[in-house]
Amino acid sequence: MIKAHYDWQDQSAQVDLTQAQALQDSLGVSPVMAKLLVSRGLTDPTQAENFLKPSIEMVHDPHLLHDMDKAVERISDAVANGEKITIYGDYDADGITSTSVMYEALNGIGANVDYYIPDRFKDGYGPNADAYQRIIESGTQLIVTVDNGVSGKDVINPVMDQGVDVVITDHHELPEELPNAVAIVHPRYPGSDYPFPDLSGVAVAFKVAWALLDEFPEEQLDLLAIGEIADVVGVTDENRALISMGIQVLRQGMRPGLHALISLAGANESQLTDQDIGFTIAPRLNALGRIANAGEGVELLTTLDEDRGKELAAKVEEANKERRQYVDDIMEEALAQATDEENSQLPVLVLLGHNWHQGVLGIVASRIMEETGKPTIVAGVNDGDTVAKASGRSIDGFNLFDALNPHRDLFVAFGGHPAACGLSFEADKLHDLRDALAQEASNQGFSGQERSKMRVDGHLVAGEINEQLYQEVQQLGPFGPGNEQPVFELKGIAPTNVKTMGKDNSHLKFNLGPIAVVAFGKGNLAPMLNGQGADIDILVTLSINEWHGRRSVQLMLVDIQIGGTVILDQRTNHLTPQHFEMGGYYVVADQRLRANIAPHVEAGHALSPEEARAVDFAGDNITVVDCPPQLDLFKEIFAGDTDLPSTIRLLLYETDSIYLAGMPTRDDFAALYRFLSQYKNIKWPIQREAMSRQLRINEVRLNLMIDVFSEVGFVKIEDGLLNLVEGVTKADLKQTDHYQAQLARYEVEQTLLFSDAATLSKWVMQCLS
C-alpha cells in the first residue's frame, strides 16, 4: 500500500457532456480534447477556438503601464544626448533575459549602452551601493534596472541625489516606500490601471523595448518566452499569447549561442515546448548565476558570432553539470536531516549544513519540499562564518512570508513572498527559528500533514494514448500557472518491463503495453511495481521521447497510489546488508540469524514468528527473512493485524533445502529395513555415503529415516555402530515426531520456496484474509 503524494481532485466528473459534445462537433476535436476545454471553462466554440490560437491581439498596449511614457522620454533623451546608459540586471534566467532584451533594444536605437549583472555572492539581489558607485565612476549617467529595483530605495535615492538618474522596470512585490526614481514601470503599481498584473521582469523589459522602438519587437519574443517560463508567472491573458509566439520564434534557432546550448542539451530545437524551456534551457541559464558569471548569459543570448556562441554554450553546460553535482551532494545530507527523529515531528523544516553551496539552496529546498510535502528552508554556513544564508520554498496552505515576517529580529536579512523566500541569520538562532515557524504553522492551522491538491483533468486507458492525442493536448499550451498541463489518471494498471535508470538507479521506467512511463527520482518504487496483489492507479502527463531521430509518445509519472498489500517476491539463498535497508519489521525464525540481524534494523523490529503474533502490522512494511518451520507459523504472523500491511517482502532465506531431497516412501523404509537386517555394525555416520549409494536414497532422506527408526526403537547406535533391533512392534512411521517435523518443513519449502510468484502471492493474500 502506498498513499498518493497529492490529494487528487478529479475534474472530469464536473464536465457537462452536452457542452463537450457540442465542442467536439463544432471544432472537430477528440472527445478527450473537448472535455479538457470544457473543464477549463471554454464552453463556447468561438471562445475555445480563440484560446487554441493565441495572437498578438491579446497583448496589451505597453503605454498602459505606469510611468512608461516617463521612462521612454528619459531613455530617449539619453540616447539622443549620447549619455552612457547602464542596464542593471539580475543573475537568474528572468534577469538575464530582461537584460538581453533591453540591451538589444537600446543598441538597436544607437544608445551608448552597457550592462551589469550583479554577483549573487558579492553583490546580492537588487541594487547594491558599491556596484552602483562603480557604475557611476565608469561614466554612467542613466541606470535602467530590469527585474529589480523597487526594493532599492536606500541605494537608488542617494544615486538620484548625485544627479545620476534611475529608471526602474520591475515586477516584484512593492514595498511600502518606493525609490525616488525618474520612472517606475511596474504592472502592479498602486493606482495603475494596467489590465494584467502578472508580468515577469522580461515581459516588463519587452514592453519598454516595444514602447521605445514604437514597433512590436517580434525578434525578442524568444527571450521573453524563456524568462517568463523560468520565472513561473501565470500563463494566462497576454502572457499566454506572448509565450506562445515566443516559442515559435525560439524554434527558428536564430541566436547562435542559444542554438548551441539547445544542441548540447539534447533538445529538438524545431519542436521545442514550454517543458523544454522550463526543464532544459532555464535551469542552464540559472546555473550561471548560481555557479559562475551570469553576465556571460547575456553575451550567450545576444552574440551573433557562432564560434563565441558555442564557446559560451559549453561554459553554460559545464556550469549546469557542476550545479547538478552540488545539488546531489547536498540532497543526500539534507534529506537525512529532514527525515531524522527531530525534524520528522516538525510541520516546517529548517535544515542547516556546513559549506553547502549557497547558489543551489533554493533547488534543494524545492526538492526536499517535494519529497516530504513540508515547507522547507535550507541554509548553509561556511567554515569561519557565523551567518547562514538560506532559501525557502512553501506549498499551498502555508504562507511562508507571513510566517517569517513577524520574526525579523531573528534575521540579518529577509525578503520573499508566500511561496518562496531568501534570508540570512546567525547560525546559533537555528532552534529559535524552528520554534518560531512551528508556532506560526499552528497559527495558520497547518500541521505539516496536509497534502497539496493535484487537479486531475481526465481518465485514459493505455489504448487511447498516441502521438495524435499528444499533439492535440499541446494545443492547450503553453502550460504553467493558471493553465496547467493536463494530468490524466490511469486506473488498475499492470506494469511490465519495470526497471530503474540513472547512474544511481534513482529513476524509474516501466511499460503499459507499448507505452513507456518515466518517473524521475522514483527508482525506489520498482520493487513495488514488480510485486503482486496490489491495485495501482497513476497520474501522468503526456510527453514525447526522441531517440536517434525517432519520436514516440511517453508518459511522465506525476503521482501513484497502490491499494492493498504489495507482495514483493525477493526470495534468495544469499543475504547481504542491502536486504536490511528497508524500513519496517523483520520476522526471523532462526534465533541465531535473528540475533545477527537485530543490530542492523530499528530497535525492536527483528521479531520471531511468535513475537510477531502480538504486533499489529497494519500499514507497515514486513520482511519475512527465513522460512518458519511450519506453515501455520507463517499464517499466525499476521493474526494480530487490524488492517492490511503495506508491504510483505519475502526473502525466505534457507541454507539446507529438504524439498528437493523428497520425503521417504514406504518402499524406502522397507529397503532400509532389509539392508539393516543383512548388514551388522555399520559405522555411522562414517558409512552413510556408502549406504546412500547402495540404497539409491539421498543422504538427507536417509538421515531422516534413521532418525525415524531410532525414535520407534527399530535401530540403536552405540559406540558409532548402527544395528537393527530385533523383535520390535510395528509402528506408523509417518506419525513419528521426526517424520512430521520434516514433513512440515517439506510443505513449507514446497509452498514458500518452490512455487511460482503468482501462486506464492495468492497464498500469502489468503493468509491475510
Side-chain angles (χ1 to χ4, degrees), residues 5-8 373 395-396 450-454:
H5 184 72
Y6 296 104
D7 178 10
W8 299 5
I395 64 174
D396 292 341
E450 295 86 351
R451 292 185 298 168
S452 297
K453 290 180 171 58
M454 176 58 65

Side-chain angles (χ1 to χ4, degrees), residues 71-87 106-107 109-114 135-136 138-144 160 162-167 182:
V72 170
E73 181 180 3
R74 180 63 186 92
I75 294 171
S76 298
D77 286 347
V79 174
N81 296 328
E83 298 175 56
K84 183 177 180 181
I85 304 171
T86 295
I87 303 161
L106 292 176
N107 255 332
I109 57 175
N112 174 16
V113 61
D114 197 0
I135 289 169
I136 293 168
S138 73
T140 294
Q141 295 161 282
L142 173 63
I143 296 173
V144 178
M160 291 285 294
Q162 290 182 53
V164 176
D165 286 343
V166 179
V167 169
V182 170

Side-chain angles (χ1 to χ4, degrees), residues 509-518 541 545 552-556:
K509 185 177 183 180
F510 59 89
N511 281 82
L512 301 178
I515 306 296
V517 183
V518 175
T541 57
N545 179 46
S552 60
V553 67
Q554 69 180 10
L555 304 177
M556 305 304 296

Side-chain angles (χ1 to χ4, degrees), residues 342 346-348 350 403 407 410 429-443:
E342 179 184 3
L346 296 175
V348 182
V350 185
H407 304 282
L410 294 176
K429 301 278 189 183
L430 173 65
H431 289 285
D432 293 337
L433 179 54
R434 284 177 174 167
D435 291 344
L437 285 170
Q439 182 58 53
E440 291 294 338
S442 176
N443 295 345

